[in-house]
C-alpha cells in the first residue's frame, strides 16, 4: 500500500495549503489576542484551517463523479452567500442595532456619508489601471466601504472568485481603523483645525413618529431612485423599524443578539470555504490587500477634504472640525471613537463624540447606497 | 490605459454624483420630517 493511499491528507498537502493554515492561525491570534473583529476573524481563521487540509469533508469532494460527497461548507455557501441570505440577515441585525437619532442633531453631516466613499471609486479606477476587470475592480473598491456585508454582497455578485480575499480585507481593515485613520487625518489637518470645537444640539430629542417614519420613507425613496439598493437598504431599514416601532421589543432584541450571533458564526466559517490555498495564495490577493488599504486611506482623505471644502462656505459659528469628515465611513462606532479620542488629545475640552457619531451613522447609510449604486452601474458598463 | 479604466472613471463620476444627490434628498427629508413631527414631551416620553 502506498503512503498516499494511507495518509492522503499529508501526501497531498501543498505549500499553498500550509500558507493558508498559517493565515488561519494568524487570524485566530488577531481575534483572540488583539480582539480585532473576533466574531468574524475567529470563524474565518478556523475555517481557513478546515478547508486547507486536503480531502477535507467540509468541502465537496469528487464533484461531478459517482463518488461525490457534498461538504457542509459548500451547502452553506450556496444557501447563504450565493443567495445573499446571510449578509442580508446581518443587515436586519445591524438595522436593529442602529439609532438614527444622532443624524437629526445636525443633518448636514449626512453629506460626509457620501464624501467618505470617494476612496471606493478611486480604488476602482486604480484597480482597473493595474489590470483587474471592471467587475473585479468594483468589488475591490467596495472594501473601502468599511462594511463587511456590503462587500460580501457586491463581490458575490460581481466577482465571486475574489470573495475570500475581499471579505478578509473588509473585516480585518475595519478592525484596523484606529491604526489606518489617525495618520491620514493628521497629514491633512493642522493642529488648529484639529482643536476646532463644534456646536451641537446635544439635548435635541427626536419624536417617535419621526424615527418610525424614517426607515419606511428612506426605503421608499431609495427604492424609487435606485431599486438595486433595496435589498441592502431595505433589510437594514426593516431591522431599524423593528427597533423603533416600540411594539416588537422582543424581536428587536432577538435581531440584535441571537440572529446577529447565529448568522455571524455561519457567515465567517462559510466565507472561509473560499480561502483554499489554490484560490487565495496568489499575487492578486496581495494586490487586493494593498488596494484595500488605498480605499480606506482615500475614503478618510475624501471625508476630511470635503469638511475643509464645506468650511469655506460655512459661517464661523457652524464650521466643522475637519476630522469629523473621516467618520463618514461605515466602521461604527470605531471611527467616531477614534476621532473623538484625537480631538481630546489635541484639546481636553474638545468633545467631538456627538457630531462624530452623526457622521458615522451617515457613513452606514452611505456605504449601503454606494453598494447598491455599484451593483446598478457596473452591469450597465460591461 | 484599458477600456475598463475609462469605464471605471465614468462609473466613479456618475456614482459619486448619484451618491451626493441621494444624501441631499435624505437631508431635505430629515429636515422635513423633523419639522412635521417635532418632539412633544408627554406623547414621546410614553
Amino acid at each position: 500500500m502506498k503512503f498516499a493511499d494511507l495518509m492522503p491528507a499529508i501526501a497531498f498537502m501543498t505549500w499553498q495549503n500550509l500558507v493558508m493554515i498559517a493565515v488561519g492561525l494568524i487570524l485566530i491570534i488577531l481575534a483572540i489576542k488583539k480582539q480585532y473583529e473576533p466574531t468574524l476573524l475567529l470563524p474565518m481563521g478556523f475555517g481557513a484551517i478546515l478547508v486547507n487540509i486536503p480531502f477535507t469533508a467540509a468541502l465537496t469532494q469528487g464533484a461531478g463523479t459517482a463518488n461525490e460527497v457534498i461538504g457542509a461548507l459548500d451547502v452553506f455557501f450556496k444557501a447563504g452567500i450565493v443567495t445573499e441570505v446571510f449578509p442580508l440577515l446581518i443587515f436586519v441585525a445591524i438595522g436593529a442595532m442602529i439609532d438614527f437619532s444622532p443624524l437629526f442633531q445636525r443633518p448636514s453631516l449626512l453629506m460626509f456619508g457620501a464624501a467618505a466613499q470617494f476612496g471606493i471609486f478611486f480604488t476602482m479606477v486604480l484597480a482597473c489601471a493595474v489590470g483587474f476587470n471592471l467587475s473585479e475592480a468594483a468589488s475591490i473598491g467596495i472594501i473601502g466601504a468599511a462594511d463587511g456585508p456590503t462587500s460580501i454582497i457586491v463581490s458575490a455578485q460581481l466577482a465571486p472568485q475574489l470573495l475570500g480575499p475581499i471579505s478578509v480585507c473588509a473585516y480585518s481593515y475595519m478592525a484596523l481603523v484606529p491604526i489606518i485613520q489617525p495618520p491620514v487625518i493628521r497629514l491633512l489637518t493642522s493642529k488648529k483645525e484639529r482643536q476646532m470645537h463644534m456646536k451641537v444640539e446635544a439635548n435635541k430629542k427626536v419624536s417617535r413618529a419621526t424615527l418610525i417614519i424614517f426607515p419606511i420613507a428612506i426605503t421608499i425613496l431609495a427604492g424609487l431612485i435606485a431599486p438595486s439598493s433595496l435589498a441592502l437598504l431595505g433589510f437594514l431599514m426593516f431591522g431599524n423599524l423593528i427597533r423603533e416601532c416600540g411594539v416588537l421589543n422582543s424581536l428587536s432584541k432577538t435581531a440584535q443578539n441571537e440572529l446577529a450571533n447565529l448568522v455571524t458564526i455561519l457567515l465567517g466559517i462559510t466565507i472561509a470555504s473560499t480561502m483554499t490555498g489554490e484560490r487565495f495564495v496568489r499575487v492578486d490577493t496581495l494586490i487586493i490587500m494593498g488596494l484595500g488599504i488605498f480605499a480606506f486611506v482615500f475614503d478618510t482623505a475624501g471625508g476630511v477634504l470635503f469638511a475643509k471644502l464645506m468650511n469655506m462656505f460655512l459661517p464661523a459659528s457652524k464650521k466643522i472640525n475637519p476630522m469629523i469628515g473621516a467618520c463618514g465611513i461605515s466602521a461604527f462606532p470605531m471611527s467616531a471613537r477614534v476621532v473623538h479620542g484625537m480631538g481630546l488629545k489635541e484639546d481636553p475640552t474638545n468633545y467631538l463624540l456627538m457630531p462624530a457619531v452623526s457622521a458615522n451613522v451617515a457613513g452606514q447609510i452611505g456605504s449601503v447606497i454606494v453598494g447598491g449604486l455599484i451593483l446598478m452601474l457596473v452591469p450597465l458598463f460591461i | 490605459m484599458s477600456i475598463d479604466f475609462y469605464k471605471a472613471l465614468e462609473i466613479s463620476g456618475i456614482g459619486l454624483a448619484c451618491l451626493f444627490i441621494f444624501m441631499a434628498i435624505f437631508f431635505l427629508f430629515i429636515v422635513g420630517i423633523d419639522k412635521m413631527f417635532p418632539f412633544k414631551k408627554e406623547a414621546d416620553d410614553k
Side-chain angles (χ1 to χ4, degrees), chain A residues 103-104 107-108 110-111 113-115 117-118 121 124-125 128-129 132-134 204-210 213-214 217-218 221-222 225-226 306 362 365-366 369-370 373 377-378 381, chain B residues 1-31 33-41 43-46:
Chain A
L103 265 186
F104 290 80
S108 60
L110 197 64
M111 301 314 285
Q117 312 302 331
F118 169 75
F121 293 105
M124 182 172 77
V125 174
C128 280
F132 287 98
N133 67 38
L134 198 55
K204 184 182 173 185
K205 288 188 176 174
V206 184
S207 71
R208 191 171 157 231
T210 302
I213 292 168
F214 182 77
I218 290 288
L221 270 176
I225 303 168
F306 185 72
I365 297 178
I369 300 278
V370 83
L373 282 171
L377 289 171
V378 171
F381 282 79
Chain B
M1 289 293 171
S2 66
I3 296 171
D4 279 347
F5 175 82
Y6 293 104
K7 285 180 180 173
L9 272 179
E10 205 173 332
I11 291 173
S12 299
I14 298 170
L16 273 172
C18 287
L19 194 54
F20 274 99
I21 291 168
F22 252 115
M23 290 307 197
I25 293 170
F26 288 174
F27 165 74
L28 294 173
F29 171 73
I30 285 175
V31 173
I33 52 167
D34 201 27
K35 286 222 165 98
M36 279 168 72
F37 302 97
F39 180 80
K40 288 175 191 155
K41 202 172 183 317
D44 289 306
D45 276 349
K46 278 180 194 171

